[in-house]
Amino acid sequence: MGVEDIEAEHGTHVGADFAPGSRLRERELSQALDVSRVPFREALQQLETEGFTQTSPRRGATVKQTTLRDVKELFDVRLSLEVVAARLAAQAAARGESSSRLQQMMGKAEEVTLHHDHAQMPLKNTALHAKSFRWGGGGQLPAGVLNEASVGQDAVAFHPDRAPQPAGSVCGAPKPVPAICNGKADLAAALGFAHVELGLAPSLQGLAGCLPEV
């Protein structure tokens, strides 16, 4: 059982349900979640690898504090990854692979954005990006590069308690999914870049009063 299994079974997300700096006590949380300490320890290790937690000799595992610098770096990573993923996904669609699931997820993301459902917006947008990454990778991108941690961290950095609007939901920002589904690789790549780039300034502005600079 990994961190995704624990989160799915118990409806929790470590970065969202525990404040930055909170200690993640293995015994207490494993009992509260009704899981053995071995898989829970493995989940904590995975969370640290993905940058959600950090471990120190005296305090043990704690929730990592996200900073504005982290958000800027996250956007830099996404500018590169999403361009490549969008292009590869569009090429897959052009070969005849089904994009129905991607379109369905885009519809859900747009629906919660339209209804200003701030609790679901970061979750649905993160799921959409993760699906695009997985489908677009197609085995051509190394697993370490195509890591869902970069999009999973969106749900932490842009949690509704911290910002009014998650990255990727900026009003009027172009979205690459329609171009992906139509198999237009160059257009999908260009829109993927613009989608992330246009989200940077408003996202940083919304987070300025919620996250430390460094």
Side-chain angles (χ1 to χ4, degrees):
M1 176 180 287
V3 63
E4 296 92 345
D5 302 306
I6 293 176
E7 291 179 351
E9 182 176 347
H10 299 280
T12 185
H13 190 295
V14 169
D17 291 352
F18 295 88
S22 298
R23 295 180 65 181
L24 302 176
R25 294 178 172 85
E26 182 180 307
R27 178 182 297 177
E28 294 178 8
L29 288 175
S30 61
Q31 291 177 349
L33 296 173
D34 194 25
V35 295
S36 69
R37 297 177 69 176
V38 172
F40 185 82
R41 191 177 299 123
E42 293 174 350
L44 285 181
Q45 292 174 350
Q46 180 182 338
L47 287 170
E48 183 170 12
T49 299
E50 295 180 355
F52 294 108
T53 65
Q54 57 188 11
T55 303
S56 58
R58 295 188 177 183
R59 299 200 67 200
T62 58
V63 177
K64 186 177 179 181
Q65 170 68 69
T66 301
T67 68
L68 290 178
R69 176 182 290 181
D70 294 330
V71 174
K72 292 176 183 177
E73 292 177 353
L74 175 61
F75 271 86
D76 287 339
V77 171
R78 286 182 52 187
L79 277 174
S80 299
L81 289 182
E82 295 207 25
V83 169
V84 177
R87 182 182 296 278
L88 292 176
Q91 291 173 350
R95 293 193 299 268
E97 297 184 27
S98 175
S99 61
S100 59
R101 178 57 177 160
L102 190 64
Q103 294 182 66
Q104 181 183 21
M105 296 180 75
M106 181 181 69
K108 292 181 179 179
E110 290 182 337
E111 181 180 355
V112 296
T113 300
L114 180 64
H115 290 88
H116 304 288
D117 187 341
H118 298 305
Q120 289 295 315
M121 284 163 64
L123 302 179
K124 297 302 183 184
N125 278 282
T126 294
L128 176 62
H129 286 295
K131 176 63 177 179
S132 177
F133 274 27
R134 286 196 300 269
W135 190 43
Q140 300 183 54
L141 296 179
V145 174
L146 199 64
N147 194 318
E148 290 181 27
S150 63
V151 290
Q153 287 172 357
D154 279 357
V156 176
F158 302 99
H159 189 260
D161 289 342
R162 302 193 180 105
Q165 183 168 272
S169 66
V170 179
C171 183
K175 296 178 176 61
V177 175
I180 290 175
C181 296
N182 289 325
K184 299 182 181 297
D186 290 340
L187 179 58
L191 290 176
F193 183 93
H195 183 61
V196 177
E197 179 68 20
L198 290 176
L200 176 58
S203 293
L204 290 177
Q205 182 179 2
L207 290 165
C210 307
L211 299 179
E213 182 68 33
V214 292

